[in-house]
Amino acid sequence: MAKRKTLFDDRPIEISELTYVIRQDIASLNTQIASLQSYIRAQKQPQVAAGKGQVEEHNSNVVMMLQSRLADMGMGFKDVLELRTQVSEISMSYSGLRRSMKDLWEHGKCQGIEGMLRDGRRDQDES
């Protein structure tokens, strides 16, 4: 695990491609829901038959529910992408820190740190 380059075994190119596909799907669903909403509005007629208003209300409620669920799903997707970006940035920072420490160690600039760490552990053990 220490030799891994990233925290997760993901493939950034595949993730980018999937992200693009998901965003396109969300946009398409949004367009389809808007079309459905327009269709329902166009179908509204004076309530001639009994129960006609209930059907229109039901149709409108279904479209609102679809919009709400798609919005929730879109926000969840956005949250996941933001979290992944944060984890990726932290992982890159950690990798850079490890490389810096390795470089310092190889050039003999961290020899004093080893002694300080050892002394710090002794102080904790004595407490």
Side-chain angles (χ1 to χ4, degrees), residues 4 8 20 24 46 51 55 61 72-73 75 77 119 123 127:
R4 289 184 185 168
F8 301 108
Y20 176 79
Q24 293 297 327
V55 171
N61 288 340
D72 291 345
M73 194 267 316
M75 290 302 294
F77 181 65
D119 293 343
D123 290 344
S127 298

Side-chain angles (χ1 to χ4, degrees), residues 102-119:
K102 182 180 176 188
D103 290 344
L104 288 172
W105 189 264
E106 288 174 353
H107 292 93
K109 296 181 181 176
C110 286
Q111 291 173 354
I113 293 175
E114 184 179 278
M116 290 172 21
L117 291 173
R118 203 173 32 247
D119 293 343

Side-chain angles (χ1 to χ4, degrees), residues 13-32:
I13 293 172
E14 288 179 21
I15 299 242
S16 295
E17 289 171 355
L18 287 172
T19 299
Y20 176 79
V21 169
I22 291 169
R23 285 182 175 162
Q24 293 297 327
D25 288 349
I26 290 172
S28 174
L29 287 170
N30 227 353
T31 301
Q32 291 175 25

Side-chain angles (χ1 to χ4, degrees), residues 75-89:
M75 290 302 294
F77 181 65
K78 179 182 168 220
D79 291 345
V80 166
L81 289 178
E82 287 175 357
L83 180 61
R84 184 181 185 284
T85 300
Q86 291 173 354
V87 167
S88 178
E89 289 171 356

